[in-house]
Amino acid sequence: MLLLVDLDNTLVDRRAAYKAWAESRFGESEVRWLVEADRDGYERRETLAAMIAARYGGDERQVLTELRAGMVANLAPDPQVAQVLTDATAAGLVPFVVTNGTVAQQEAKLRRTGLDRLVAGWTISEGAGVGKPDRRIFEIAAAAAGIRLSETGWMVGDSAEKDIGGGHAAGLRTAWVALGRDWPPGLAYRPEITGRTGVAALRAVIQDTVGRE
Ligand SMILES: [Mg+2]
Protein backbone atom coordinates (compact mmCIF):
# COMPACT_ATOMS: atom_id res chain seq x y z
CA MET A 1 0.00 0.00 0.00
CA LEU A 2 1.30 3.40 -1.00
CA LEU A 3 2.41 5.70 1.84
CA LEU A 4 3.38 9.10 0.46
CA VAL A 5 5.11 11.22 3.09
CA ASP A 6 6.17 14.86 3.19
CA LEU A 7 9.76 15.59 4.29
CA ASP A 8 10.09 18.99 6.02
CA ASN A 9 8.44 19.11 9.46
CA THR A 10 7.01 15.63 8.87
CA LEU A 11 10.04 13.29 8.69
CA VAL A 12 12.66 15.89 9.60
CA ASP A 13 12.43 18.64 12.19
CA ARG A 14 13.10 21.45 9.78
CA ARG A 15 11.85 24.05 12.23
CA ALA A 16 14.41 23.04 14.88
CA ALA A 17 17.22 22.85 12.32
CA TYR A 18 16.46 26.36 11.08
CA LYS A 19 16.31 27.76 14.62
CA ALA A 20 19.61 26.10 15.52
CA TRP A 21 21.24 27.55 12.41
CA ALA A 22 19.75 31.01 13.07
CA GLU A 23 20.95 31.05 16.68
CA SER A 24 24.45 29.77 15.94
CA ARG A 25 24.91 32.22 13.08
CA PHE A 26 23.23 35.41 14.32
CA GLY A 27 22.69 34.95 18.08
CA GLU A 28 19.68 34.19 20.24
CA SER A 29 18.25 37.72 20.09
CA GLU A 30 17.84 37.47 16.30
CA VAL A 31 16.09 34.09 16.22
CA ARG A 32 12.60 35.56 16.42
CA TRP A 33 13.10 37.83 13.41
CA LEU A 34 14.74 35.04 11.42
CA VAL A 35 11.95 32.55 12.24
CA GLU A 36 9.30 35.04 11.14
CA ALA A 37 11.15 35.83 7.92
CA ASP A 38 11.45 32.10 7.13
CA ARG A 39 7.66 31.52 7.39
CA ASP A 40 8.30 27.87 8.29
CA GLY A 41 10.18 27.36 5.05
CA TYR A 42 7.45 28.72 2.81
CA GLU A 43 9.27 31.98 2.04
CA ARG A 44 11.25 31.58 -1.18
CA ARG A 45 14.87 30.79 -0.24
CA GLU A 46 16.20 33.53 -2.53
CA THR A 47 13.87 36.09 -0.96
CA LEU A 48 14.83 35.01 2.56
CA ALA A 49 18.54 35.21 1.70
CA ALA A 50 18.02 38.74 0.33
CA MET A 51 16.15 39.77 3.51
CA ILE A 52 18.95 38.38 5.69
CA ALA A 53 21.63 40.06 3.59
CA ALA A 54 19.75 43.38 3.81
CA ARG A 55 19.49 43.14 7.61
CA TYR A 56 22.95 41.85 8.48
CA GLY A 57 25.02 42.76 5.44
CA GLY A 58 26.77 40.34 3.14
CA ASP A 59 26.24 38.90 -0.28
CA GLU A 60 22.81 37.39 -1.02
CA ARG A 61 24.21 34.41 -2.84
CA GLN A 62 26.70 33.71 -0.08
CA VAL A 63 23.86 33.88 2.47
CA LEU A 64 21.76 31.49 0.37
CA THR A 65 24.61 28.97 0.22
CA GLU A 66 25.18 29.26 3.97
CA LEU A 67 21.47 28.95 4.71
CA ARG A 68 21.13 25.78 2.65
CA ALA A 69 24.25 24.19 4.13
CA GLY A 70 23.18 25.23 7.64
CA MET A 71 19.79 23.56 7.28
CA VAL A 72 21.39 20.23 6.37
CA ALA A 73 24.18 20.47 8.97
CA ASN A 74 21.63 21.00 11.77
CA LEU A 75 19.61 17.89 10.93
CA ALA A 76 20.35 14.54 12.52
CA PRO A 77 18.98 10.99 12.22
CA ASP A 78 15.94 10.49 14.47
CA PRO A 79 15.63 6.93 15.84
CA GLN A 80 11.86 7.30 16.34
CA VAL A 81 11.38 8.25 12.70
CA ALA A 82 13.59 5.36 11.61
CA GLN A 83 11.54 2.96 13.75
CA VAL A 84 8.16 4.13 12.49
CA LEU A 85 9.28 3.86 8.85
CA THR A 86 10.65 0.37 9.49
CA ASP A 87 7.35 -0.59 11.14
CA ALA A 88 5.36 0.90 8.23
CA THR A 89 7.33 -1.19 5.75
CA ALA A 90 6.83 -4.30 7.90
CA ALA A 91 3.06 -3.58 7.88
CA GLY A 92 3.05 -3.68 4.07
CA LEU A 93 3.14 0.05 3.46
CA VAL A 94 5.59 1.51 0.94
CA PRO A 95 6.94 4.80 2.33
CA PHE A 96 7.80 7.22 -0.46
CA VAL A 97 8.76 10.87 0.08
CA VAL A 98 7.00 13.65 -1.85
CA THR A 99 8.54 17.04 -1.16
CA ASN A 100 8.66 20.54 -2.60
CA GLY A 101 12.14 21.99 -2.99
CA THR A 102 15.35 21.66 -4.93
CA VAL A 103 16.75 18.22 -5.70
CA ALA A 104 20.21 18.96 -4.27
CA GLN A 105 18.88 20.35 -0.99
CA GLN A 106 16.19 17.74 -0.35
CA GLU A 107 18.48 14.85 -1.27
CA ALA A 108 21.16 16.25 1.06
CA LYS A 109 18.58 16.21 3.89
CA LEU A 110 17.49 12.64 3.05
CA ARG A 111 21.09 11.41 3.13
CA ARG A 112 22.12 13.38 6.20
CA THR A 113 19.26 11.87 8.22
CA GLY A 114 19.61 8.35 6.81
CA LEU A 115 16.06 8.54 5.43
CA ASP A 116 17.36 7.65 1.99
CA ARG A 117 17.81 4.07 3.25
CA LEU A 118 14.44 3.91 5.04
CA VAL A 119 12.08 4.93 2.24
CA ALA A 120 11.41 3.31 -1.12
CA GLY A 121 12.31 6.51 -2.96
CA TRP A 122 11.40 10.16 -3.37
CA THR A 123 9.91 12.67 -5.75
CA ILE A 124 11.10 16.28 -5.45
CA SER A 125 9.18 19.14 -7.07
CA GLU A 126 12.19 20.60 -8.88
CA GLY A 127 12.93 17.26 -10.50
CA ALA A 128 9.26 16.48 -11.18
CA GLY A 129 8.62 19.88 -12.75
CA VAL A 130 5.52 20.29 -10.60
CA GLY A 131 4.93 20.77 -6.86
CA LYS A 132 2.37 19.91 -4.21
CA PRO A 133 -0.60 20.43 -4.13
CA ASP A 134 -0.74 19.71 -7.90
CA ARG A 135 -2.18 16.25 -8.49
CA ARG A 136 0.54 15.44 -11.02
CA ILE A 137 3.32 15.23 -8.43
CA PHE A 138 1.35 12.56 -6.53
CA GLU A 139 0.87 10.64 -9.79
CA ILE A 140 4.59 10.90 -10.59
CA ALA A 141 5.49 9.67 -7.10
CA ALA A 142 3.03 6.75 -7.30
CA ALA A 143 4.42 5.75 -10.71
CA ALA A 144 7.98 5.95 -9.35
CA ALA A 145 6.94 3.73 -6.44
CA GLY A 146 5.33 1.31 -8.90
CA ILE A 147 1.91 1.56 -7.22
CA ARG A 148 -1.26 2.98 -8.77
CA LEU A 149 -2.81 5.98 -7.04
CA SER A 150 -5.92 4.70 -5.30
CA GLU A 151 -8.12 5.38 -2.31
CA THR A 152 -6.22 2.79 -0.30
CA GLY A 153 -3.08 4.92 -0.38
CA TRP A 154 -2.03 7.62 2.07
CA MET A 155 -0.52 11.09 2.03
CA VAL A 156 1.00 12.28 5.33
CA GLY A 157 2.22 15.82 5.89
CA ASP A 158 2.09 19.04 7.92
CA SER A 159 0.75 21.43 5.28
CA ALA A 160 -3.06 21.63 5.26
CA GLU A 161 -3.13 22.90 1.69
CA LYS A 162 -0.14 21.23 0.02
CA ASP A 163 -0.19 17.83 1.73
CA ILE A 164 -3.78 17.24 2.86
CA GLY A 165 -5.55 19.27 0.17
CA GLY A 166 -3.25 17.89 -2.52
CA GLY A 167 -3.45 14.31 -1.27
CA HIS A 168 -7.24 14.50 -0.93
CA ALA A 169 -7.63 15.86 -4.47
CA ALA A 170 -5.39 13.04 -5.72
CA GLY A 171 -7.83 10.54 -4.19
CA LEU A 172 -5.64 9.50 -1.27
CA ARG A 173 -6.47 9.13 2.40
CA THR A 174 -4.68 11.76 4.43
CA ALA A 175 -2.97 12.17 7.80
CA TRP A 176 -2.13 15.65 9.03
CA VAL A 177 0.85 16.49 11.24
CA ALA A 178 -0.62 19.20 13.46
CA LEU A 179 2.51 20.35 15.35
CA GLY A 180 0.31 22.03 17.95
CA ARG A 181 -1.92 23.84 15.44
CA ASP A 182 -5.66 23.60 15.00
CA TRP A 183 -7.02 22.49 11.64
CA PRO A 184 -7.63 25.70 9.64
CA PRO A 185 -11.33 26.60 9.38
CA GLY A 186 -13.10 26.99 6.06
CA LEU A 187 -11.38 24.26 4.05
CA ALA A 188 -13.51 21.91 1.92
CA TYR A 189 -11.50 18.85 3.05
CA ARG A 190 -10.32 17.34 6.33
CA PRO A 191 -7.66 14.76 7.16
CA GLU A 192 -8.81 11.24 8.13
CA ILE A 193 -6.14 11.19 10.82
CA THR A 194 -4.43 13.93 12.81
CA GLY A 195 -1.21 13.35 14.76
CA ARG A 196 0.76 15.81 16.86
CA THR A 197 4.03 14.86 15.13
CA GLY A 198 5.05 13.03 11.99
CA VAL A 199 5.84 9.95 14.06
CA ALA A 200 2.40 10.05 15.75
CA ALA A 201 0.60 10.47 12.42
CA LEU A 202 2.53 7.57 10.88
CA ARG A 203 1.83 5.38 13.93
CA ALA A 204 -1.90 6.02 13.48
CA VAL A 205 -1.69 5.17 9.76
CA ILE A 206 0.06 1.88 10.59
CA GLN A 207 -2.60 1.06 13.20
CA ASP A 208 -5.37 1.78 10.69
CA THR A 209 -3.66 -0.43 8.09
CA VAL A 210 -3.11 -3.33 10.48
CA GLY A 211 -6.67 -2.94 11.83
CA ARG A 212 -8.21 -3.31 8.38
CA GLU A 213 -6.49 -6.60 7.65
MG1 LIG B 1 6.23 19.96 5.39
Side-chain angles (χ1 to χ4, degrees), residues 30-80:
E30 290 303 307
V31 169
R32 194 172 159 177
W33 183 87
L34 286 154
V35 164
E36 252 172 54
D38 175 54
R39 295 198 302 113
D40 234 353
Y42 291 114
E43 184 57 79
R44 280 186 71 240
R45 300 298 83 188
E46 292 79 2
T47 308
L48 176 63
M51 288 166 75
I52 292 172
R55 184 173 172 96
Y56 304 104
D59 175 63
E60 283 175 29
R61 278 172 35 200
Q62 174 69 32
V63 171
L64 182 60
T65 303
E66 246 187 77
L67 169 64
R68 287 195 160 131
M71 289 304 303
V72 176
N74 283 287
L75 288 174
D78 181 333
Q80 286 195 328

Side-chain angles (χ1 to χ4, degrees), residues 10 22 28 40 42 50 55 76-77 81 94 108 148 159 162 164 173 193 208:
T10 296
E28 200 190 334
D40 234 353
Y42 291 114
R55 184 173 172 96
V81 171
V94 179
R148 268 189 49 223
S159 168
K162 293 181 169 65
I164 307 309
R173 286 185 284 167
I193 285 173
D208 182 275

